[in-house]
Amino acid sequence: MQLIEVNSASTTKDFIKVNVLMNKNNPNYIRPLDNEVNDVFDPLKNKAFKYGEIKRWLLKDDNNKLIGRIAAFTNSKYINKGTEFITGGIGFFDCIDDDAAAKILFNAAKQWLQNKGADAMDGPINFGDREKWWGLMVEGFENAPIYNMSYNPPYYEKLFENYGFKNYYNQYYYSMGVKDKISDKFPERYAKFKNKPGYEARHISIKNLEKHAQEFATVYNAAWAQHGEAKEITVKEVMKLFNKMKLVMDERVIWFAYYKNEPIAMWINIPDLNEYFKHFNGKLGLIEKLRLLWMKKNNNCRIFTGVAFGIVPKYQGLGIDSFMIYEASLPIQTLNWYDKYEMGWAGDWNPKMINIYKSLGASQSRRMVTYRYIFDETKHPFERHPVMEYK
């Protein structure tokens, strides 16, 4: 077998191709957009390059056939509570069902990361945001992946665990029908806040994106500061995200809760873009964009998905989540916009978020695993991700 570094236009194309080859027999597979994968490795488009570097490889057999790929990266902003040692990341792993082939790929990543001073590697994860291509799918293969969700053949679990990776944490996805009955607790809590002066919940206006970007940053940074994982986001970064989403953004499913006009909670959703992209075979040129607009106009996307959820710590545990979600549900459930709601992943270390999903009446649709491989467990014994402490 031949291990080849990705460092040219042809090897970059092959890096994309491997993922397609490994999933070609799965009818539920949806090819990610080529440009979105390539952007991860572009220093001009991925802010993570400010804090780390990346290397990627292809694997070919003796007949020059593509049989695998992997990326390894360092990122000083990748912080997990309870981890005091340098941890690198691996991602974009694909491989034939062969432990020897997988070992070559994992060893290449391990050696490179050790040379960079890392004591462990987590994966498969993304070189960047956690809502994209994070974790290995181990349950839920019968469902097509939603936008930016990792998707892989079932045997990958064996390849990771046979090499020595251990389950660092589970990631749970939940889903429900839009018209499914919501627990009676939601309207009860809604009524409580609806009658209190100063409390409001409303969806955004695309005309006021700069205002909403500020609100997003306020809630996001406050909600995640308590977890100690350096996830602070700037208004500029949020605006960049909003502008990127603008073509497909549906203001009716992006909600904030306020107290005296100050943002205290958010529930950010978008249409499931894979409902469009599954027709595009990885491309998004002018023709695809025009087709997307036509499909959007004709309400072809019947699924919306969760992107971010957060409550300012001072208001957690009071029922603000129920107030905001129920206010949003009134039009969403009664008007014929969508049929299904797919929620973003929640780690098993975030039980409150999982309980919110369950309280809505949602059912678990998928399970992913973020694995950890410690290079020397006599130096750093393996421990699972600690449960989130709420302040």
Side-chain angles (χ1 to χ4, degrees):
M1 289 181 275
Q2 315 162 57
L3 187 69
I4 302 163
E5 184 179 332
V6 176
N7 56 12
S8 66
S10 62
T11 51
T12 295
K13 287 182 179 179
D14 283 345
F15 191 81
I16 296 287
K17 187 177 180 181
V18 174
N19 181 251
V20 180
L21 291 171
M22 296 303 109
N23 289 281
K24 65 181 180 180
N25 295 321
N26 193 327
N28 289 322
Y29 169 71
I30 297 175
R31 179 174 175 172
L33 293 182
D34 295 355
N35 66 341
E36 291 198 344
V37 176
N38 288 330
D39 285 353
V40 173
F41 305 97
D42 186 342
L44 298 178
K45 296 182 178 179
N46 187 351
K47 67 180 185 294
F49 277 94
K50 297 177 183 177
Y51 314 108
E53 54 187 309
I54 194 165
K55 185 79 72 174
R56 50 183 167 157
W57 298 268
L58 297 168
L59 189 66
K60 292 185 176 182
D61 65 13
D62 291 340
N63 295 317
N64 213 38
K65 182 180 177 183
L66 290 165
I67 58 172
R69 69 173 189 174
I70 198 170
F73 39 87
T74 61
N75 186 346
S76 62
K77 289 289 186 179
Y78 176 61
I79 299 171
N80 291 283
K81 193 169 184 179
T83 299
E84 305 300 331
F85 48 87
I86 298 174
T87 304
I90 63 161
F92 301 92
F93 171 85
D94 281 296
C95 189
I96 59 172
D97 189 2
D98 184 277
D99 283 328
K103 185 176 181 180
I104 291 174
L105 292 167
F106 290 140
N107 279 347
K110 176 185 175 182
Q111 183 178 348
W112 185 80
L113 288 169
Q114 282 180 311
N115 291 338
K116 298 295 178 181
D119 291 313
M121 55 187 180
D122 290 352
I125 62 175
N126 182 35
F127 184 47
D129 299 328
R130 298 191 186 209
E131 72 269 14
K132 292 185 176 182
W133 304 309
W134 204 277
L136 187 81
M137 181 173 282
V138 296
E139 295 175 10
F141 299 99
E142 67 278 10
N143 302 306
I146 58 177
Y147 178 59
N148 284 333
M149 174 185 282
S150 298
Y151 200 71
N152 52 266
Y155 65 82
Y156 282 21
E157 180 180 9
K158 172 177 64 73
L159 297 180
F160 270 81
E161 295 184 358
N162 285 353
Y163 183 77
F165 281 92
K166 296 180 180 179
N167 183 322
Y168 185 42
Y169 56 84
N170 292 302
Q171 303 162 232
Y172 295 109
Y173 283 83
Y174 282 77
S175 66
M176 64 184 296
V178 164
K179 295 188 182 299
D180 291 353
K181 186 179 185 300
I182 296 176
S183 166
D184 291 336
K185 293 180 181 179
F186 280 80
E188 291 171 6
R189 292 169 181 166
Y190 169 76
K192 170 186 170 184
F193 284 97
K194 193 69 173 175
N195 294 325
K196 284 187 175 182
Y199 287 96
E200 289 183 85
R202 53 183 183 265
H203 68 72
I204 70 160
S205 167
I206 288 180
K207 297 177 181 178
N208 296 319
L209 285 185
E210 288 190 16
K211 171 180 177 290
H212 299 310
Q214 178 66 64
E215 294 169 344
F216 182 104
T218 297
V219 176
Y220 186 94
N221 291 335
W224 280 97
Q226 63 183 314
H227 197 35
E229 294 192 351
K231 292 176 66 67
E232 186 169 335
I233 194 168
T234 67
V235 176
K236 183 179 179 181
E237 289 169 340
V238 180
M239 272 306 298
K240 184 177 179 181
L241 173 66
F242 279 2
N243 285 326
K244 187 177 179 181
M245 292 167 51
K246 197 170 182 180
L247 178 67
V248 293
M249 185 181 285
D250 183 348
E251 61 185 10
R252 304 170 300 181
V253 294
I254 302 176
W255 284 73
F256 284 89
Y258 303 87
Y259 179 64
K260 294 183 177 178
N261 290 317
E262 290 296 318
I264 60 174
M266 66 179 182
W267 185 37
I268 312 298
N269 304 287
I270 61 171
D272 178 17
L273 302 187
N274 271 4
E275 290 294 287
Y276 305 127
F277 296 161
K278 64 185 178 183
H279 303 290
F280 297 166
N281 194 32
K283 311 303 178 188
L284 189 61
L286 178 60
I287 292 175
E288 288 82 12
K289 287 180 179 178
L290 291 172
R291 188 177 178 190
L292 190 157
L293 289 171
W294 181 85
M295 288 190 290
K296 182 182 178 183
K297 183 179 180 180
N298 286 277
N299 204 24
N300 284 64
C301 178
R302 305 296 299 171
I303 301 170
F304 74 106
T305 67
V307 175
F309 184 93
I311 303 172
V312 172
K314 179 181 176 181
Y315 296 91
Q316 290 177 2
L318 302 178
I320 287 294
D321 52 339
S322 300
F323 167 65
M324 176 176 59
I325 291 171
Y326 191 74
E327 182 80 80
S329 76
L330 294 175
I332 291 173
Q333 286 197 307
T334 55
L335 301 174
N336 189 34
W337 299 338
Y338 298 97
D339 299 323
K340 188 176 182 182
Y341 178 44
E342 290 276 5
M343 304 168 194
W345 68 264
D348 56 14
W349 43 264
N350 190 357
K352 280 195 175 182
M353 192 70 240
I354 292 174
N355 286 337
I356 289 173
Y357 290 165
K358 290 179 178 178
S359 68
L360 276 167
S363 301
Q364 183 187 321
S365 59
R366 303 167 179 86
R367 178 169 69 93
M368 312 291 227
V369 176
T370 293
Y371 285 100
R372 171 164 286 185
Y373 181 89
I374 297 177
F375 302 149
D376 183 356
E377 286 200 26
T378 63
K379 182 179 177 184
H380 300 293
F382 173 80
E383 295 180 352
R384 299 193 80 242
H385 193 293
V387 175
M388 187 172 182
E389 297 176 359
Y390 298 91
K391 297 178 181 179

